């Protein structure tokens, strides 16, 4: 009976100590890094625009963007403006994450900006929806509407 009592007392003590500890501050509690997937999706979208592949770009749009444009014809003017902007841009510059909202139940929102080299200036901003755990399924809104 003494051994059983000692084991039980030790188990209760461990449970009490463990329950009273604060949450660990480890990498497992950090937010996921969305910068890479968002910037890669923006680069894929840019490649489609540079190749004048409006159908491929349309396929990457968010549901909200598709609803706003209606169809590929409605998207064409925005696509053409983006193409002109990118055509005039330095191809060595890239996309830079400027803001993000991490969400676990719906795609996270990341705003990326295409920048120029030389005299740095923003050329175009995109909203990228990044579904956590689904690399390659990112969606783009080429006209950022960011509200709090």
């Amino acid at each position: 009976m003494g051994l059983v009592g000692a084991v039980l007392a030790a188990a209760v003590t461990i449970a009490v100590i463990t329950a009273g500890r604060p949450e660990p501050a480890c990498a497992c509690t950090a937010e996921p890094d969305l910068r890479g997937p968002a910037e890669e999706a923006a680069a894929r979208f840019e490649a489609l625009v540079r190749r004048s592949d409006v159908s491929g770009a349309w396929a990457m749009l968010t549901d909200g963007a598709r609803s706003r444009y209606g169809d590929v014809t409605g998207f064409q003017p925005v696509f053409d403006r983006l193409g002109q902007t990118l055509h005039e841009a330095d191809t060595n510059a890239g996309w830079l994450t400027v803001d993000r909202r991490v969400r676990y139940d719906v795609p996270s929102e990341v705003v990326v900006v295409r920048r120029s080299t030389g005299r740095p200036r923003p050329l175009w901003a995109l909203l990228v929806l990044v579904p956590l755990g689904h690399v390659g399924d990112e969606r783009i809104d080429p006209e950022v509407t960011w509200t709090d």
Side-chain angles (χ1 to χ4, degrees), residues 7-26:
V7 170
L8 183 59
V12 170
T13 303
I14 290 171
V16 168
I17 292 171
T18 304
R21 287 186 182 172
E23 289 294 318
C26 66

Side-chain angles (χ1 to χ4, degrees), residues 33-46 60 62 82 86 93-101 108-116 121-130 138-146:
D33 182 12
L34 303 174
R35 186 176 29 202
E39 292 173 6
E40 289 169 14
R44 287 193 313 271
F45 188 76
E46 177 182 353
M60 283 191 74
T62 65
L82 178 56
L86 292 174
W95 294 93
L96 175 68
T97 299
V98 294
D99 205 350
R100 64 180 165 53
R101 288 185 188 154
S108 297
E109 299 173 329
V110 182
V111 176
V112 295
V113 174
R114 181 70 161 83
R115 63 185 191 278
S116 66
R121 63 186 176 92
L123 299 175
W124 199 282
L126 300 175
L127 174 66
V128 183
L129 298 184
V130 180
E138 298 83 10
R139 296 290 172 247
I140 303 287
D141 190 331
E143 296 181 297
V144 175
T145 52
W146 189 263

Side-chain angles (χ1 to χ4, degrees), residues 29-116:
T29 61
E31 290 184 344
D33 182 12
L34 303 174
R35 186 176 29 202
E39 292 173 6
E40 289 169 14
R44 287 193 313 271
F45 188 76
E46 177 182 353
L48 294 168
V49 173
R50 288 187 180 275
R51 288 193 314 258
S52 299
D53 184 355
V54 69
S55 296
W58 175 261
M60 283 191 74
L61 293 183
T62 65
D63 291 342
R66 287 183 189 178
S67 175
R68 195 169 55 246
Y69 302 128
D71 58 16
V72 174
T73 304
F75 173 55
Q76 190 71 52
V78 173
F79 183 82
D80 292 343
R81 281 195 316 272
L82 178 56
Q84 183 65 33
T85 299
L86 292 174
H87 177 71
E88 297 169 357
D90 180 354
T91 57
N92 293 325
W95 294 93
L96 175 68
T97 299
V98 294
D99 205 350
R100 64 180 165 53
R101 288 185 188 154
V102 177
R103 299 194 172 149
Y104 297 95
D105 55 341
V106 295
S108 297
E109 299 173 329
V110 182
V111 176
V112 295
V113 174
R114 181 70 161 83
R115 63 185 191 278
S116 66

